Amino acid sequence: MAKKWSKEKYTDDSYGGFDVAYELINDMREQDMQDIVASGGDVVFEICASLQGCQENYIYRGENEELLAIMGISTPIPNTKGRSIWMLGTNALNDMSYYKQLLITEAKQVIAQWVKEYGLLFNAVNKNNDKSIRWLTRLGAEWNGETIEIDGNVFLKFTITERGVKNV
């Protein structure tokens, strides 16, 4: 049976995202932690910077108010076509009662809405993060073979377009 979850729009608070960042870090999925660590920055700083640098952020909580995930889309980036998107989750997402509803159905709806509003969506994921690569592909991500290397870690660039969303 599917569990209930809630979605709230994140608004910058007096702590600049530190409260949510620490809550996330306490139970972050291994693949998400590895991606942040591989990007070379301080984990708390990277999460706070992502929250503060976004036009929209959503916080998802489980039926017992436990943090499930945070998902965001950047503000316009100068001289860049499109918007960067990201999502970080906790181990509670491994509960299949949340998985299908949140990671598949809800994510598809949010991505489709963002593509409609903002056009091209993009980011990069660690080449070793098989779970996220499969999930992103399922959401319509297209992989053109471009990579970024940060501190010896290779990240695969992806884009999501209206064409990609329609093909899922």
Side-chain angles (χ1 to χ4, degrees):
M1 185 170 143
K3 291 185 178 180
K4 293 183 169 122
W5 52 271
S6 64
K7 172 182 174 180
E8 64 188 78
K9 194 166 191 171
Y10 173 81
T11 54
D12 193 17
D13 57 18
S14 60
Y15 300 109
F18 286 103
D19 53 344
V20 176
Y22 282 111
E23 186 179 3
L24 180 64
I25 289 168
N26 284 331
D27 193 32
M28 191 182 296
R29 295 182 307 171
E30 182 180 344
Q31 70 261 32
D32 292 335
M33 182 64 82
Q34 288 173 351
D35 266 9
I36 290 179
V37 169
S39 71
D42 175 79
V43 175
V44 173
F45 175 80
E46 292 294 329
I47 295 168
C48 291
S50 293
L51 286 167
Q52 293 170 5
C54 281
Q55 181 155 339
E56 292 179 55
N57 290 304
Y58 294 106
I59 297 174
Y60 295 90
R61 294 194 177 276
E63 61 187 15
N64 296 315
E65 291 301 309
E66 71 276 22
L67 182 63
L68 298 174
I70 305 171
M71 187 176 192
I73 184 166
S74 71
T75 56
I77 302 167
N79 304 316
T80 303
K81 182 180 176 185
R83 303 279 182 101
S84 175
I85 59 169
W86 60 278
M87 200 262 326
L88 298 169
T90 66
N91 287 306
L93 284 177
N94 295 331
D95 181 335
M96 292 308 286
S97 301
Y98 292 124
Y99 182 85
K100 186 172 182 183
Q101 277 191 318
L102 187 58
L103 284 181
I104 306 302
T105 306
E106 170 68 7
K108 279 184 181 180
Q109 290 173 358
V110 171
I111 294 297
Q113 182 62 38
W114 284 346
V115 164
K116 183 178 177 182
E117 287 181 41
Y118 307 112
L120 178 74
L121 306 178
F122 65 88
N123 206 331
V125 63
N126 189 305
K127 74 171 187 161
N128 298 318
N129 191 339
D130 295 331
K131 288 181 182 179
S132 291
I133 291 169
R134 282 192 309 271
W135 176 69
L136 287 161
T137 301
R138 194 167 180 182
L139 293 178
E142 299 175 59
W143 311 88
N144 65 7
E146 289 185 51
T147 61
I148 306 170
E149 188 171 328
I150 303 172
D151 293 336
N153 296 293
V154 177
F155 290 78
L156 306 175
K157 290 183 174 184
F158 68 87
T159 58
I160 301 176
T161 63
E162 190 173 350
R163 180 184 68 221
V165 169
K166 285 182 178 178
N167 290 333
V168 291

